Each structure stands twice: as structure tokens, then as C-alpha cells.
Amino acid sequence: MAGSVPFLELTEEFGGTKFGPFESVEIRLGSDRGRNDISLPDKLGVAPQHAKLLRQDDASFILAPVDRDAPIYLYARNDGPARLVTGPTALRSGDAFSLVKPEGVRFVLMLERDPKAVADAKAAAEGGDRAKRTFNGVWDEIRRRGLASVFSTALGNRLQTLWQLVRSGSLFSPVYIVTGMAIVSGWLLAGGSGVAAVRTNWRANYLTDELSECQARVERLKGSQNLDGDPTVPSLAGTILGNEDAWAKTLQNDSALLASYADQLKTVYAQQDRFAWTFEDDKSVYAKLKQDLELQNLPLDVVRVLAFAAAHPGRRPQWTMFPDSEDTEVCGRGPLDLTYRMAVALGLDAKPDALVVSQLAQSSELTEKRQALEQTITLAGTQFEIRDDLIVSAPVAKGMSCLYIDGNDARTEPAKVAEALVRLMGAGAAGVPSANDDYWIAARLYLLDAQDFRAKIDGLDRNSAPSIQMGTLQVLDSRSSFATKSVARLMARASVVPCLARARGGEAEVPKWFLTRSPSLSSCGILQMYIGVNRL
């Protein structure tokens, strides 16, 4: 395919718009207009940086999620239904991929070699007005083509009924309309059919124009709690997470964490069905981690959120890969996805690992394997004697593997991880606020992620929000962003998954092994309303 020129084309149902040609090695897609080659509205559930395509030397491409929790679905040519992309995956000319969900915005990769075909493709692509081509134009086309079909569904009819109630002023607050429906009719959060309807509403968000007046009325929900008693996002998060005072204060004073929490809520809702195992299996890694954290007498308000580190979308794999605090893709292991550097900082007996291409992992090139492992050891600031006969590997994504030293690794043992966490954030631990001080829960979660920093910080105090303190401590932006996103992801899972458990159980409380205190259906309904009208 030498000399080929890549284009991306939306499928016909999304308008058939053609993007390109792309001259760079990397093509990025996401909702952040400043950091992507193709930007899409976050109303679609797209992460700020969602997907990337990497051009290889042979002109083939690799498709991968930028955010490890950003859903991408691949439609390979003549290869059956869509499959979820969890790591770097080969993409050929004619293959298609969708973002967020299988039926989401879908692009087809086109590689043109013929100069005339390239010129024609350039002419066909919308040029000049980048904003129209990469953001508003796509959104307008989706709305134009998708709105009528959405309103023809049963969910659409229900939403039209809701809209008429709001417009007529029959009920005072749209929040309580949603809450009442959630409790009385189960449209939003009761039973399997209700969850299906919620999934459509959460993910689609095609109804923006029709609900514009409703959105204006709930605009006030973004600010302080008003005289109508409508909860703010910080107070609602605190109610669901179990400590309104601590979480509301934290989110009110930490705009970076609040913004990241809103983004992660959309991402987790978009993948909601993949979290059901956490409350259906009382022998799962989530259940084990939660139990061990409680046995170590960690504060329950910390356990309430921290245990959801083990609640991955889909059953947890043995290994994961993700960008660390240096924005370098690495291997993570165990229920908390601990990097080797984090494990060493926590005092865990861990074995070094290294993310490498699978070709190297499967080869007999011991020198290169040792070099990769030694780099991990050096960056962790420790020493480890590598035995060649113990170097093994495990696949982590298509084309990528984790090299590691065979043997027991404390990262995989929830009880040992819990013991280490007590030393870091338990009662009397140095470097964190006392229980019930301002920011005391968030500070502990931030400090855990700070164990991956190459430049260590001594601790966080009660005087300001954690992300603000990191700025004061001159922590690099990449490191602070890593910690903020990780904490926000935990908060989002700890908010969404219990609401799903309540939805499946109707009025019944969730099992105590899963969660000691259940969120109310009304709080879950309001949270759904906020996401549905994009007012987080």
C-alpha cells in the first residue's frame, strides 16, 4: 500500500461525510476540538480523546482507544458483527469502527493510491471550514437523520409525553418529574425494560433540540442548591457516594475533578451493561477486594469508592494497559491495576513487568526482553535480579503483551493490597487529613495514584482541594491529570453501578456484600436526568 492516502468516511446513516486526507502518522478522534483531527460532540458520549489510528510503515493502521475505558467497536470486512476493541487492533482499508456503542457514529477507513482517486476524494471531502466539518456538521447531520427515528420509538413517545408535562407546567420541577417516573412507573430505573430505556436515553442524547426548554429550566442545577431544593451535582454525588459533606465540599472547590467526574459518568453509563457482574457475583474480585478492605478497617466511606477500582467494564483481565502518570503506556496488574512503580512505592512484593510488542514477547531475544524489564526497574527506583528462565509474557491487547518475571506478585492478592493501603491511608496514616476533615476521602484516593509519580509528594492536607494542592506542589500537569482522571473514574463507577443494581432490584435494597448502603431510587433518577439533558 505504498503511496496510499488515508481518508475516514462516515457511513451513510450518519451523512456519508468524508474526512481527510490525513498526512500525519496519527489520527485522533474525540470531543476535544483542540486535540483531535476529527472532533465529535460529547453529547454522544465520546471521550475528550477517544480513539486513535496509527499508520504503520507498510501503510496499514492500528486502531486503539486513547482512554482505556473509551468504547470502540470494530466492523471488519465480511467478518460478522462488531467486536469491542480493548487495545491496539489492526485496521484494513474498508474496515469500519464505531464509537461509544455498536450502533454509534461509524467511520470507514479508505486508503486511496490512484492520484485521480485521491484528487476526487479530496474534492469530495468537506474542506475549509474545519469547525463545520469536524463538529457542528457531523452533529447537525446526526440530529437531522436520527431525531425522527428516535421519536418513533416507544422511548420517544414517552419523552414526548414528559416534554408536554414540562411545557404545560403541570409539574413544578423536571427533576421531580423524572424522580416520580422512576419510582411510580419504572420508566427510568426499574426492571430490565426500564434499564433498556435508560440505556437508550443515556447514550443517544439525540433529543437536545426537543428538550431545549427543559434544559434551560434545569440549567440552575449546575449552580448552588436553589430555593426549589434541586440538588447540585456535588451534593447529588455526595448523597450517592455516601458522604455528602465530604464529596460536596470537594467537588464544589475542585473544578478539575468535577469536570473529569462528569466525563467519566458519561463513559460509564455508555458501558453500563458490562458492569452487571459486580453486583451479580458475590465471589468476584470486586467482592473480595471490598471484603479485605473492610477487614483491614479502612474507613467505610473510603472503601465505598475505592472497592470499585476492581469493577472493570467486563470481567477483569489478568493484565491491563493504560497511560501512566508520565503518559507512557504501561502494564497494570491486580484488582487496582497497580503499575510496578506503584507497587514498589506501596511496599508490595511485586515482580517487574514491561509492555512490549507481542512479536518480541514471543521471540527468543533475551537481551531485548531484559532491557525492557530493566527500564521498568530503573524507573521504579529499585533493584531486581532478573533470571532469564523466569521471563514469561501474557497478551494484554492485540499486538501487545506484558513481559514479567514468573512468581508470586502481591498485586494480585487483594488481602496484601489492602494491608498496604492501610499503611498509606488508614487511621493515623501520615500525609492525609484526619477522617471528617475537608477533602479527607479524595485526598486518600489522590495519594494512592500519586504512588506512580516519579517525583514523590509527601502528602496532602485539609486546606485545599487535592488537584489544587498538586499545582501548589508543582506536580507536573500530566501527573496531576492522571490522578484526577483515575479518582473521577472511581467516583463515576461508584455512582453508576449501585444505581444499576437498584434498577435491577426495583424497590429491593442491593445485597449487603455488594454495598453496605444503597443509593435511593430518587437520587439515581435525578442523576439520570442530569446526564440525559447533558447538565452535569
Side-chain angles (χ1 to χ4, degrees):
M1 298 295 291
S4 61
V5 178
F7 293 81
L8 287 175
E9 183 174 10
L10 283 168
T11 52
E12 179 61 28
E13 62 267 28
F14 290 103
T17 305
K18 188 174 293 184
F19 301 88
F22 297 100
E23 306 296 341
S24 60
V25 173
E26 181 177 280
I27 306 169
R28 291 211 172 203
L29 300 90
S31 62
D32 187 329
R33 302 192 198 191
R35 294 187 291 172
N36 294 286
D37 299 284
I38 299 177
S39 59
L40 296 157
D42 59 9
K43 300 179 182 70
L44 300 176
V46 178
Q49 293 191 79
H50 197 104
K52 61 183 177 182
L53 282 77
L54 300 173
R55 188 184 181 104
Q56 306 300 295
D57 291 339
D58 62 355
S60 64
F61 276 80
I62 296 294
L63 171 67
V66 178
D67 183 324
R68 57 176 168 166
D69 288 337
I72 304 172
Y73 292 86
L74 174 65
Y75 291 84
R77 293 177 301 178
N78 304 317
D79 194 23
R83 61 184 178 89
L84 182 66
V85 175
T86 58
T89 301
L91 194 68
R92 302 170 296 174
S93 180
D95 287 347
F97 62 92
S98 63
L99 306 182
V100 180
K101 54 184 178 176
E103 62 273 21
V105 181
R106 190 184 306 182
F107 294 88
V108 180
L109 174 64
M110 301 171 56
L111 298 180
E112 299 285 4
R113 297 183 63 188
D114 180 72
K116 184 178 186 306
V118 171
D120 291 344
K122 287 182 178 180
E126 293 182 15
D129 188 349
R130 176 177 174 83
K132 178 180 178 182
R133 178 164 61 91
T134 63
F135 191 85
N136 296 327
V138 176
W139 179 233
D140 290 343
E141 186 66 24
I142 290 169
R143 282 164 46 196
R144 183 178 73 80
R145 292 172 177 264
L147 194 60
S149 61
V150 170
F151 270 115
S152 67
T153 64
L155 173 63
N157 291 332
R158 287 174 177 171
L159 287 172
Q160 289 185 76
T161 301
L162 168 60
W163 174 235
Q164 291 302 322
L165 287 172
V166 174
R167 289 186 62 186
S168 66
S170 299
L171 295 177
F172 188 70
S173 169
V175 169
Y176 298 124
I177 293 173
V178 175
T179 303
M181 290 180 177
I183 296 173
V184 177
S185 70
W187 283 353
L188 298 179
L189 287 174
S193 62
V195 172
V198 173
R199 179 171 65 251
T200 304
N201 188 24
W202 282 334
R203 294 176 179 177
N205 287 324
Y206 294 147
L207 310 176
T208 301
D209 282 350
E210 295 298 320
L211 291 175
S212 59
E213 185 177 338
C214 180
Q215 287 181 345
R217 293 182 65 181
V218 298
E219 176 69 28
R220 64 181 184 276
L221 299 176
K222 295 174 65 178
S224 301
Q225 186 164 344
N226 60 26
L227 297 177
D228 295 336
D230 295 333
T232 63
V233 172
S235 66
L236 180 61
T239 299
I240 294 176
L241 295 176
N243 189 318
E244 184 171 354
D245 290 341
W247 283 117
K249 180 68 176 290
T250 298
L251 291 174
Q252 285 167 0
N253 294 288
D254 195 330
S255 58
L257 181 58
L258 179 58
S260 187
Y261 174 59
D263 286 340
Q264 292 298 320
L265 279 174
K266 298 172 189 175
T267 299
V268 175
Y269 271 124
Q271 305 174 76
Q272 59 184 277
D273 287 344
R274 302 186 65 214
F275 289 95
W277 65 270
T278 58
F279 52 82
E280 293 175 346
D281 183 2
D282 62 358
K283 300 295 190 297
S284 70
V285 65
Y286 163 84
K288 175 62 175 171
L289 177 63
K290 177 175 178 291
Q291 180 185 50
D292 287 331
L293 292 174
E294 291 174 342
L295 288 174
Q296 291 295 330
N297 292 319
L298 276 175
L300 291 181
D301 287 328
V302 175
V303 175
R304 169 69 177 80
V305 179
L306 182 57
F308 282 91
H312 289 253
R315 291 286 181 173
R316 193 192 178 284
Q318 180 183 6
W319 292 88
T320 56
M321 59 176 281
F322 55 88
D324 66 3
S325 59
E326 305 301 316
D327 204 21
T328 300
E329 289 192 324
V330 297
C331 295
R333 194 174 190 183
L336 265 68
D337 275 341
L338 296 176
T339 64
Y340 178 69
R341 185 162 59 230
M342 293 176 75
V344 169
L346 288 169
L348 290 168
D349 181 13
K351 302 296 188 293
D353 54 58
L355 181 68
V356 298
V357 296
S358 296
Q359 184 177 359
L360 172 60
Q362 296 163 8
S363 74
S364 57
E365 297 291 336
L366 288 175
T367 300
E368 292 185 39
K369 291 180 180 180
R370 288 180 64 91
Q371 288 174 347
L373 290 166
E374 287 168 353
Q375 182 178 18
T376 298
I377 295 167
T378 300
L379 292 177
T382 187
Q383 295 181 337
F384 192 95
E385 183 177 349
I386 299 174
R387 281 179 47 183
D388 292 345
D389 61 321
L390 293 180
I391 299 177
V392 292
S393 65
V396 67
K398 188 173 181 62
M400 303 298 293
S401 295
C402 287
L403 285 180
Y404 65 100
I405 303 300
D406 196 17
N408 294 332
D409 191 313
R411 287 180 288 177
T412 66
E413 302 178 47
K416 291 184 178 179
V417 172
E419 290 176 4
L421 293 178
V422 168
R423 296 192 292 270
L424 178 71
M425 61 177 70
V432 291
S434 300
N436 299 319
D437 279 345
D438 294 341
Y439 317 112
W440 72 279
I441 306 175
R444 284 163 167 77
L445 300 179
Y446 266 86
L447 193 59
L448 171 59
D449 290 297
Q451 303 309 299
D452 189 67
F453 296 175
R454 290 174 63 183
K456 305 301 181 186
I457 60 175
D458 294 330
L460 299 169
D461 59 39
R462 59 168 293 177
N463 295 320
S464 60
S467 72
I468 296 174
Q469 288 190 56
M470 288 193 174
T472 303
L473 295 170
Q474 298 184 330
V475 173
L476 292 178
D477 288 345
S478 64
R479 296 171 184 167
S480 180
S481 296
F482 167 81
T484 295
K485 185 174 182 179
S486 180
V487 173
R489 182 184 297 112
L490 280 181
M491 294 170 60
R493 290 177 182 172
S495 300
V496 173
V497 181
C499 282
L500 299 179
R502 284 303 310 269
R504 302 294 171 90
E507 292 295 331
E509 294 287 315
V510 301
K512 294 300 181 184
W513 63 262
F514 170 68
L515 202 64
T516 305
R517 298 190 301 270
S518 299
S520 68
L521 282 174
S522 59
S523 295
C524 290
I526 295 170
L527 181 64
Q528 184 276 331
M529 178 66 172
Y530 284 18
I531 295 174
V533 298
N534 198 31
R535 289 305 183 209
L536 291 171

